Amino acid sequence: MRFHLFALLLLCVLSGCKPSKPSGVFSESKMVKILVDYHLAQGMAEDNDNETEMRYLYIQAVFRKHRITEEQFDKSMIYYCEHAEDLSKIYIQVNKRIEAASAMLLASVLLVGNLSVLPTQAGSSNLIVDSKSF
């Protein structure tokens, strides 16, 4: 009986030691989604003449898309910056998603940029159109 009581007490103590995320900090999966859009927005802003204003507008669009506030985003980023191992896991996923999106975009550009074969009518020959026609 004493062993069970000791084991229960030990379990309670150990579970109390596990740090938990404060209220309002986004899950890792939600942070991945937000940060992918956040970094894509930053990249799009760099291609504009008025980079500072566009960066602000694009970032605000990311917050609206994910229905979050800048304060919530900042709170979550502060938490994850203090927990570098978790932030590292998040950015591994962010990097994978951005690389996948980049590969898809490159494939699309190459498909349109090279010769395209467009079928005309059933049973007839294909019409070859080069990229200048687009």
Side-chain angles (χ1 to χ4, degrees):
M1 179 76 171
R2 286 188 205 182
F3 176 76
H4 293 292
L5 184 58
F6 177 75
L8 182 61
L9 180 62
L10 183 62
L11 182 64
C12 289
V13 169
L14 291 177
S15 67
C17 294
K18 181 181 177 188
S20 63
K21 289 182 189 139
S23 143
V25 172
F26 301 129
S27 68
E28 290 180 20
S29 62
K30 183 165 183 154
M31 281 302 292
V32 169
K33 292 174 187 173
I34 294 167
L35 286 171
V36 166
D37 289 339
Y38 183 88
H39 288 292
L40 290 175
Q42 296 249 351
M44 290 187 313
E46 290 177 8
D47 288 339
N48 286 288
D49 293 335
N50 194 352
E51 182 179 337
T52 304
E53 182 180 348
M54 294 309 293
R55 182 180 309 271
Y56 174 79
L57 293 173
Y58 286 143
I59 298 302
Q60 293 305 311
V62 170
F63 295 154
R64 281 192 306 277
K65 175 184 176 183
H66 292 279
R67 294 185 172 101
I68 63 172
T69 65
E70 187 170 356
E71 291 78 23
Q72 291 171 310
F73 175 78
D74 290 345
K75 180 178 182 176
S76 293
M77 282 303 296
I78 289 168
Y79 171 83
Y80 285 113
C81 285
E82 292 171 350
H83 297 85
E85 189 174 313
D86 293 335
L87 187 60
S88 177
K89 290 180 201 172
I90 289 169
Y91 267 101
I92 288 169
Q93 293 303 312
V94 168
N95 190 44
K96 285 180 182 177
R97 289 189 184 191
I98 290 176
E99 283 179 352
S102 178
M104 286 176 44
L105 179 61
L106 179 60
S108 297
V109 168
L110 291 175
L111 182 65
V112 171
N114 290 327
L115 294 179
S116 299
V117 178
L118 303 174
T120 52
Q121 295 178 355
S124 66
S125 64
N126 290 332
L127 175 66
I128 298 177
V129 181
D130 68 7
S131 61
K132 294 176 186 171
S133 300
F134 292 108

